[in-house]
Amino acid sequence: MDRLNFVLLLLFSCLVKVHGEDPYLFFDWNVTYGTISPLGVPQQVILINGQFPGPKINCTSNNNIVVNVFNQLDEPFLLTWNGIQQRKNSWQEGTLGTNCPILPGKNFTYHFQVKDQIGSYYYYPTTALHRATGGYGPISIHSRLLIPVPFDSPEEEFSVFVSDWYTKSHKTLRSILDEGRSIGRPEGIIINGKNGKGDGKDEPMFSMVFGKTYRYRFCNVGMKDSINVRFQGHTMKLVEMEGSHTVQNMYESLDIHLGQCLSVLVTADQEPKDYFLVASSRFTKEPHIATATIRYTNGKDPASPELPKAPEGWEWSLNQFRSFRWNLTASAARPNPQGSYHYGQINITRTIRLVSTAGDVDGKRRYAINGVSHVDPITPIKLAELYGVADKVFKYDLIKDEYIAPSGNEKITLAPNVVNATYRNFVEIILENHEKSVQSWHLAGYNFFAVAIEAGRWKPERRQNYNLLDAVSRNTIQVYPNSWAAIMTTLDNAGLWNLRSNSLERQYLGHQLYFSVLSPSCSLKDEYNMPDNDILCGIIKDLPLPKPYSI
């Protein structure tokens, strides 16, 4: 073989290797302040590339996502990719327990892969109270062509962000909480950053063609309220929740709790004219209502001013939760966190009962889990573990697996709340709510099976009521007042993973913890190395880099 042919063969071999890798999607995002009026009051919000909500990440399973974030705010900033499991890669999780924030005027490039999580997700800021004024946007992960989904391709897809909204700035809200006061009730509801007047003069947010079917991807990105969504004159077919295809039941309305995402199919089968999409707060004395106009392309008449009514009471919502079922006949890739679809046949190796409490510490309100209210250390927990200085930053297992009710005047402990977990253990987590308001929780790094929500206090005999066959595999779960929820998963994703309240006020005031899931082999088979571009801060900033993992 002559030299020229050898070089050509080598180049062809390199090209084959490059093209054999999963595709890359690249994004450059500028994070800035801007002034808009979501509720008719001009206020400062956080924009990404001048948009609110931010740009959509529209991708396919196994795509590599590269996002270069330029922080042009006057405060440190971080983004998390809510529901994206970041397999072996908690370095990209974007919480203050895993990452140092991006300083003002600096940039950081996130690089992660979306595995077989076909569904609806979103990103949002985890620093301060930034999420209260924007910085969030949709992530839609589609199936590869070889993997069918259990419904026909819709005519079009729409991302719908519903949210409660405050007209105060994030800095004002934060100062209120820092002073020990409550931020109170939100001022209203918005849909994709807007609140329609519902007077027939609003510009349509979505358009539909008669006879066609559309996919609406809903996410509740608010701070405090559960939200009910419904379509005037149309029913919804539920098809997906947070990456899991569901049994396709029909619904007149759906409760979407904080942090939750779901997809419905809506067929344009009514008289061609305008209709309202309605979103209203749930479990509040005076519900806030927002509308968005949906216009049939050949329709002329305005929407009826009579809006469909919302359901009442949390028992209705609980019964709706019980109607959600995992679609076991779907041929598409499904979340599989424990190596078997028969999760009900796996022995539980650890039960962790987490009880929410609230109280005052030095005259300021704090929220705790099993008596510990989380505080983010200056040195991220994940970096402290990697550099071998964990003992200088936090203590493991300040809370116990079984909650012990206080017998006297025990005080809430303020500290980093880190649970030492065993890699690949199959765990049962009980979330118990002794309060009068609905709670919502998110677990990063995993999907879990939401096997039960019931009233009262949890006891081991309550396991007989678990759904051990077709509970939906998801990453959020709501807990109703004076009730409990049970979730089950295998901790098979090495890294540091945040369990947090989706209520931003509660989360900011300590309602979160981290599971430290360390692989005993310290191998690249189980966890990726810290990326070369990772930001260093705190006590490890000037330390030499630790020895990287190898296979």
Side-chain angles (χ1 to χ4, degrees), residues 298-469:
N298 57 342
K300 296 181 180 179
D301 295 331
S304 167
E306 185 176 349
L307 301 180
K309 292 184 178 179
E312 296 181 0
W314 64 266
E315 289 188 23
W316 181 95
S317 188
L318 173 57
N319 288 331
Q320 184 170 85
F321 163 80
R322 290 171 175 162
S323 73
F324 299 149
R325 290 289 188 269
W326 200 19
N327 188 343
L328 299 181
T329 64
S331 58
R334 294 179 287 177
N336 185 18
Q338 64 296 314
S340 169
Y341 294 129
H342 305 292
Y343 65 92
Q345 299 176 16
I346 302 174
N347 291 329
I348 298 168
T349 53
R350 184 177 183 183
T351 297
I352 305 172
R353 180 173 168 238
L354 302 175
V355 176
S356 301
T357 55
D360 290 340
V361 179
D362 297 328
K364 297 181 180 180
R365 195 68 168 169
R366 296 293 302 188
Y367 293 95
I369 302 172
N370 288 9
V372 177
S373 183
H374 177 76
V375 176
D376 286 309
I378 296 175
T379 305
I381 297 164
K382 180 64 180 170
L383 290 173
E385 288 183 326
L386 179 71
Y387 278 80
V389 295
D391 58 332
K392 298 179 181 179
V393 176
F394 67 93
K395 294 181 180 179
Y396 290 104
D397 297 327
L398 290 178
I399 64 172
K400 305 303 178 185
D401 286 3
E402 177 60 33
Y403 174 69
I404 300 175
S407 57
N409 296 319
E410 288 91 343
K411 294 182 179 180
I412 289 175
T413 300
L414 301 184
N417 199 354
V418 186
V419 176
N420 196 3
T422 302
Y423 184 49
R424 291 180 175 164
N425 263 15
F426 186 62
V427 300
E428 169 190 51
I429 301 173
I430 310 300
L431 297 161
E432 204 163 291
N433 178 9
H434 295 180
E435 300 181 52
K436 297 180 180 179
S437 59
V438 176
Q439 298 177 359
S440 178
W441 295 89
H442 167 77
L443 177 61
Y446 304 94
N447 268 34
F448 52 70
F449 291 103
V451 295
I453 301 177
E454 289 192 1
R457 302 289 187 264
W458 181 84
K459 298 177 181 178
E461 52 265 31
R462 296 294 188 97
R463 293 190 181 114
Q464 64 186 359
N465 298 331
Y466 286 5
N467 176 359
L468 297 180
L469 177 63

